[in-house]
Amino acid sequence: SYELTQPPSVSVSPGQTASITCSGHKLGDKYACWYQQKPGQSPVLVIYQDNKRPSGIPERFSGSNSGNTATLTISGTQAMDEADYYCQAWASGTAVFGGGTKLTVL
Amino acid sequence: QVQLVQSGSELKRPGASVRVSCRASGYTFTSYAINWVRQAPGQGLEWMGWINTDTGKPTYAQDFAGRFFFSLDTSVRTANLQINNLKAEDTAVYFCARAPGITVAASFDFWGQGTLLAVSS
């Protein structure tokens, strides 16, 4: 079965750029999307179709996808961005989530 | 505005059954698939499958074929998840999430608030 691999944790200082990766076989040939989940809340879609932002998502969130790796980039990271982030793609009619990355802003 | 409102928390005994509902509002119900996602305590997101809200046809992820059933009540714009023969490992938060069709480009753009299911004797 298809797998997506994320680093368990990423740390960033406020105002700096955070990059969270998601790796999978030929992931660049698929569409990747990203969800943000804060403790006790539902996930929120922050990037879809590799690099598109839904309405209401700040411009500091961006995405890319090439080769075997999709990347979520948060520019000018704010304390409110501290959360778990999950990548997701479709493989053989199945939605696959990465294991999640805890972003710490310190 | 788009809303998916789920039923409340449940505490069940092993072997029992439970039904979780997801009521949609603010959009054309039959234009979006409803997906179900499980999140065990302290764990990540796990896709359970989806139901075509136009035809009622369910599709289950491999690990969720057998005790898990998706259904619709289109008269009240509601999708349901039923779990039979509950086990302790079914303890989790269950989310419904809509997707504009199930294609390789689909993403889950709105989510319910989640329903906590605890299974314990």
Side-chain angles (χ1 to χ4, degrees), chain A residues 65-82:
Chain A
N65 185 17
S66 179
N68 294 320
T69 304
T71 303
L72 173 69
T73 302
I74 310 172
S75 304
T77 307
Q78 300 183 9
M80 68 172 65
D81 300 329
E82 186 163 285

Side-chain angles (χ1 to χ4, degrees), chain B residues 6 13 48 73 77 91 96 102 111:
Chain B
Q6 298 184 225
R13 303 291 190 201
M48 302 172 65
D73 186 345
R77 305 160 58 87
T91 294
C96 61
I102 299 299
W111 295 63

